[in-house]
Amino acid sequence: MLEHSKWLSSGKPAACPCFIRAFAVAPDLCRAVLTITAAGVYDARINGRPVTDFFLAPGWTSYLYRHQVQEYDVTHLLDTHNQLEVTVGSGWFNGEIARTRRPKDTPVLLLAQLDLYHADGHVEHIYTDEQWLSAESPVRMADIYQGETCDTNFRDTAPVPAVAFDYPKTQLIPQEGEQITLQEQLKPVRIFTTPAGDTVADFGQEITGIVRVELDAPADTVITLQCAEVLDADGNFYTANYRSAKSTMELHCSGPTCWQPRLTYYGFRYLRITGWPGSVDPDALTAIVVHSEMTRTGRLSCGVPKLNRLFENVVWGQKGNFVDVPTDCPQRDERLGWTGDAQVFINTACYLFDTKKFYTKWLGDLMADQRSTGAVPSVIPDVFHGPKNIRIKSSTAWGDAATVCPWQLYRHYGDLDLLRTHFGTMKRWVDYMTSITTTPYLWTGYQTLTDRVFNPEHYGDWLGLDAPEGSYTGSSRKDLIASAFYAYSTELVIRAGHALHEDVSDYETLYENIVAAFRAAYDGDYRTQTEHVLALHFHLTADPEATAAGLAQLIRDNGDRLTTGFVGTPYLLYALSDNGYPDLAYSLLLQEQFPSWLFSVNQGATTIWEHWDGQKADGSFWSPDMNSFNHYAYGSVAGWVFETAAGITPCEELPGFARIRVVPRPDARLGWLDVSLETAFGTVVSRWFCENGRVRYEITVPVASEIVIDGKVREVPAGSYVFWGSVPKAR
Ligand code: BGC
């Protein structure tokens, strides 16, 4: 691919160089195709018009091993005389986000080829080479974390030849993922002055995106827009939780101006505006949402407005963290493909949107970054380490993305080939745990290992509320969590092996041994909510009834409130509802006191928070350090609403919703629930209404399915059905 083109670097110092090629075309031109990529992110225009809607192309992959190339039909943009101009910013390639993966001494680069097809059959090729010019662009600075500075009046009047740069091409691959594109637009809901005297615009919704600025500016105007997610207790602009990310838009302009950043993105609800000439006209500012293309598939609403707001927050959390890679957050100096967060949320993500292509590309990077030992980096693309011959240690529940993500994609989309592609990765991850433990059939002793590069140890029940003072890690035992996930991942390898008709007898034996060892080590001694949850949800406890009763007791003793972190929370409601306590699961869902999902809603959240008390009732913050207000992990609760409250699940024997189970579990406190899901086979609907002590169910299935109402199993052909049932009694 692109074998005749040369990687080009700028011939003069430039933060975001513009590469220029003028060319003429003969009148018999019938088609023109641009094949292009950059080491960095590019904005390509022909005669001033964008060649694509793809924002921040070529996207983010594990560039050492996989670097996407795009192809665009640009025929409609051509004239007799043409100018192709490509501005390249550092992006994920060598901006600050690239950390140690930042290729030292490699500047931003462009690689392209333009093919001009003529009516007489001959094809002209324009390759990137020393005939191209390079210039400084009006973009004076661009960085994913720091933002973008643009001088709209800047013109480089002295372009110089671009320089060929020696950089490999063997890692080039065709575009695999979804394109990142500009989405809906929002206007400020208010512009106000804070007590500290700052002028602030509030868009009413936390988003991930950019801002368009339109004004007629006096000469030498310099406007700065800085991002924030929340205001502090006094109503002042608050940026400490962005840590080192400046997240700023700086615009130098004179005269009529319409500008928006082209080489970075932001996570924000509020903007602090400085340097604006006169008072700020709300019409002058437009927030533009940015995320990867994905079709909405799942919808959910119920009779409790606050829960509907929570569901919306989950959707916004997904949009905001689906910028080519499933990220932890879109605003502070992370925005990384944290594997733990991804495996926690993938089930919910697959219900809400069609994410198959999005995750397939990311799993390609996970596979590329997995070590020969089987270790899986904590973030994919792995920016914490250098090339993959560097030994790393993996954290439990993070590395398990290697098994959980392919398995969830298989459940949701039924693609056996995709599962086969990742089967080796899944097995290697389990083998890694087998090889690294100090106790056979458990995963122990990790902390004592000395070959650490980045991760000191397991992250544990990250941000669990039972954390000791000053710690981010909940008090569930790390060896127990690690051993539970060892069992779970082994179980997933077995299930995948069965689907693929592979011999997994060794893993079946391993699994039995892990369960036996787990019981010998821990059964009957679960100490935290999360420990109970894992023992129940991963089917490890020998006495589910007693373990469920223990979990229920802990929750009730805590005033019907949770203490779980990243590891326990995703399975908490399942562990309750699958083991006889659905009413308690609903109580947690409906809980409004801290800690709870609705606490953040009552605090005005418009996305899902990283921490249960990101902002406390008095407006103070739990920490400036680990306090994102757009972290999708706890949004995984929406998966439970699809799968348990509405009861829609794919059947494992016919995955991808070729056969569906619908087992709704109503609760009168919601009044009604209306959930729908677009599948490859048609729309599934599960609705229930609690009316006068009875429940009316309206269920539509697009394929032959199993519907279970009040414990009664019905095999039904595709169609719409109404059933009546009784309101379940609280235990
Ligand atoms: C991230 C998390 C991530 C964690 C690992 C944090 O800084 O934001 O979401 O999973 O580190 O413990």
Side-chain angles (χ1 to χ4, degrees):
M1 204 182 304
L2 290 166
E3 56 270 23
H4 301 296
S5 304
K6 296 177 181 171
W7 284 105
L8 293 182
S9 68
S10 176
K12 54 158 61 175
C16 302
C18 181
F19 297 92
I20 305 161
R21 178 67 154 85
F23 60 97
V25 295
D28 73 332
L29 180 93
C30 34
R31 202 162 86 92
V33 176
L34 178 66
T35 308
I36 181 170
T37 191
V41 289
Y42 68 80
D43 175 276
R45 288 159 195 261
I46 292 179
N47 302 327
R49 289 162 66 199
V51 303
T52 174
D53 294 340
F54 193 161
F55 187 70
L56 303 180
W60 190 14
T61 45
S62 296
Y63 294 124
L64 283 178
Y65 310 110
R66 291 155 43 82
H67 198 130
Q68 295 185 125
V69 173
Q70 291 76 40
E71 202 179 277
Y72 309 111
D73 188 321
V74 294
T75 320
H76 60 288
L77 298 173
L78 295 189
D79 226 320
T80 311
H81 296 285
N82 302 284
Q83 177 129 312
L84 170 57
E85 293 184 344
V86 188
T87 308
V88 183
S90 59
W92 297 284
F93 179 75
N94 64 3
E96 288 183 26
I97 196 169
R99 293 177 166 80
T100 52
R101 272 273 172 111
R102 197 175 195 161
K104 290 188 182 53
D105 308 323
T106 305
V108 296
L109 303 171
L110 175 71
L111 182 70
Q113 166 174 343
L114 180 64
D115 297 322
L116 303 168
Y117 296 85
H118 294 272
D120 65 2
H122 90 278
V123 187
E124 248 178 293
H125 304 288
I126 295 177
Y127 304 117
T128 38
D129 60 17
E130 292 83 347
Q131 287 185 47
W132 287 57
L133 294 175
S134 62
E136 287 185 64
S137 75
V139 185
R140 313 307 292 158
M141 185 281 289
D143 179 85
I144 299 285
Y145 291 156
Q146 308 310 342
E148 187 164 321
T149 299
C150 183
D151 182 345
T152 55
N153 296 324
F154 178 87
R155 293 288 168 269
D156 185 346
T157 51
V160 297
V163 177
F165 193 90
D166 186 20
Y167 187 71
K169 288 190 212 161
T170 46
Q171 75 286 24
L172 298 179
I173 55 168
Q175 171 71 20
E176 253 186 29
E178 300 281 7
Q179 296 195 349
I180 308 163
T181 51
L182 303 184
Q183 306 282 333
E184 62 265 50
Q185 305 190 351
L186 278 69
K187 283 289 184 189
V189 292
R190 61 181 180 134
I191 292 181
F192 62 100
T193 305
T194 65
D198 289 325
T199 303
V200 170
D202 173 7
F203 288 92
Q205 170 65 51
E206 164 136 5
I207 66 153
T208 295
I210 54 172
V211 177
R212 185 170 62 232
V213 181
E214 291 164 280
L215 81 165
D216 193 356
D220 302 324
T221 297
V222 180
I223 296 168
T224 304
L225 308 176
Q226 194 182 358
C227 296
E229 298 182 278
V230 289
L231 303 174
D232 72 11
D234 300 322
N236 285 320
F237 200 71
Y238 178 77
T239 58
N241 67 326
Y242 281 59
R243 307 195 305 211
S244 72
K246 291 197 187 66
S247 247
T248 299
M249 294 162 237
E250 190 177 303
L251 171 62
H252 299 239
C253 57
S254 308
T257 302
C258 177
W259 172 81
Q260 63 200 46
R262 295 188 283 160
L263 301 171
T264 189
Y265 76 96
Y266 305 82
F268 62 98
R269 169 175 168 172
Y270 298 96
L271 288 181
R272 172 161 55 195
I273 306 164
T274 48
W276 195 276
S279 65
V280 184
D281 174 4
D283 278 344
L285 297 172
T286 308
I288 308 171
V289 174
V290 166
H291 60 76
S292 291
E293 294 273 299
M294 48 189 180
T295 306
R296 181 81 187 263
T297 48
R299 293 180 192 276
L300 57 179
S301 56
C302 69
V304 178
K306 286 180 183 175
L307 281 181
N308 293 335
R309 179 68 238 190
L310 176 73
F311 302 154
E312 276 309 295
N313 294 359
V314 179
V315 172
W316 277 108
Q318 179 162 353
K319 294 202 271 193
N321 284 296
F322 273 52
V323 180
D324 212 33
V325 159
T327 57
D328 56 335
C329 59
Q331 74 300 81
R332 71 176 177 222
D333 53 1
E334 294 214 45
R335 316 193 199 180
L336 301 171
W338 280 97
T339 46
D341 309 43
Q343 68 91 358
V344 159
F345 190 68
I346 187 170
N347 183 40
T348 295
C350 292
Y351 276 106
L352 289 172
F353 291 87
D354 179 350
T355 56
K356 185 181 171 199
K357 196 169 166 187
F358 175 86
Y359 279 121
T360 299
K361 172 228 167 212
W362 184 71
L363 282 180
D365 293 310
L366 189 151
M367 195 197 281
D369 277 335
Q370 186 181 34
R371 303 309 200 251
S372 57
T373 57
V376 175
S378 298
V379 298
I380 303 288
D382 179 14
V383 292
F384 289 156
H385 309 97
K388 64 180 173 182
N389 55 3
I390 292 184
R391 273 175 69 96
I392 60 161
K393 288 172 62 184
S394 299
S395 169
T396 188
W398 271 251
D400 295 277
T403 49
V404 173
C405 296
W407 179 252
Q408 285 294 355
L409 290 189
Y410 176 66
R411 283 183 76 225
H412 281 271
Y413 303 112
D415 185 341
L416 211 50
D417 288 339
L418 186 60
L419 189 64
R420 188 169 291 112
T421 303
H422 293 284
F423 190 53
T425 305
M426 297 172 77
K427 286 195 294 187
R428 273 192 296 281
W429 168 244
V430 170
D431 297 346
Y432 169 74
M433 294 186 270
T434 304
S435 71
I436 204 165
T437 182
T438 53
T439 312
Y441 310 125
L442 297 174
W443 186 0
T444 63
Y446 200 46
Q447 285 87 321
T448 60
L449 293 176
T450 51
D451 67 343
R452 79 185 174 99
V453 177
F454 181 77
N455 308 336
E457 52 182 86
H458 297 303
Y459 297 116
D461 192 19
W462 187 247
L463 304 185
L465 288 173
D466 45 15
E469 191 60 36
S471 165
Y472 291 136
T473 307
S475 56
S476 300
R477 287 164 288 176
K478 289 180 179 172
D479 284 352
L480 183 150
I481 296 173
S483 301
F485 271 89
Y486 184 22
Y488 180 45
S489 276
T490 306
E491 185 199 331
L492 294 183
V493 165
I494 294 166
R495 284 157 79 177
H498 290 165
L500 293 164
H501 302 293
E502 293 278 346
D503 176 12
V504 282
S505 47
D506 287 353
Y507 291 95
E508 286 167 342
T509 310
L510 173 65
Y511 180 74
E512 282 166 25
N513 286 327
I514 297 173
V515 174
F518 187 94
R519 287 181 181 167
Y522 302 112
D523 217 14
D525 180 28
Y526 302 117
R527 299 174 188 172
T528 64
Q529 290 186 14
T530 289
E531 290 187 6
H532 283 82
V533 166
L534 297 184
L536 284 164
H537 194 64
F538 295 160
H539 309 292
L540 296 169
T541 168
D543 187 350
E545 206 168 314
T547 309
L551 174 61
Q553 198 57 48
L554 282 180
I555 294 168
R556 289 195 175 125
D557 290 349
N558 197 36
D560 281 2
R561 286 174 302 174
L562 52 75
T563 54
T564 48
F566 272 42
V567 164
T569 303
Y571 313 118
L572 174 60
L573 300 196
Y574 291 95
L576 290 167
S577 58
D578 292 347
N579 292 285
Y581 296 88
D583 47 310
L584 192 53
Y586 273 107
S587 298
L588 291 177
L589 182 67
L590 289 160
Q591 175 63 263
E592 298 193 30
Q593 302 305 311
F594 164 77
S596 67
W597 283 276
L598 291 187
F599 174 76
S600 68
V601 170
N602 283 340
Q603 291 291 100
T606 61
T607 36
I608 300 295
W609 293 358
E610 178 177 25
H611 203 262
W612 294 113
D613 60 350
Q615 188 158 27
K616 301 178 186 194
D618 65 2
S620 63
F621 301 104
W622 94 282
S623 140
D625 205 32
M626 202 61 77
N627 205 13
S628 150
F629 291 89
N630 194 357
H631 237 70
Y632 60 39
Y634 293 156
S636 54
V637 68
W640 181 86
V641 178
F642 278 101
E643 295 192 323
T644 303
I648 300 172
T649 52
C651 287
E652 195 166 322
E653 60 282 12
L654 282 178
F657 297 94
R659 180 177 161 80
I660 304 165
R661 283 194 91 213
V662 187
V663 192
R665 206 305 178 176
D667 188 289
R669 288 170 285 178
L670 258 62
W672 56 269
L673 180 73
D674 184 348
V675 170
S676 67
L677 179 69
E678 307 290 333
T679 75
F681 299 90
T683 308
V684 195
V685 179
S686 173
R687 293 195 190 111
W688 46 255
F689 308 84
C690 297
E691 295 172 352
N692 308 321
R694 301 276 288 157
V695 185
R696 191 175 89 246
Y697 296 90
E698 296 175 2
I699 295 171
T700 300
V701 283
V703 288
S705 298
E706 182 180 303
I707 299 176
V708 184
I709 303 291
D710 287 354
K712 187 167 173 215
V713 181
R714 296 170 173 87
E715 297 288 333
V716 297
S720 294
Y721 302 90
V722 173
F723 305 97
W724 285 90
S726 49
V727 177
K729 300 223 175 351
R731 183 159 169 149

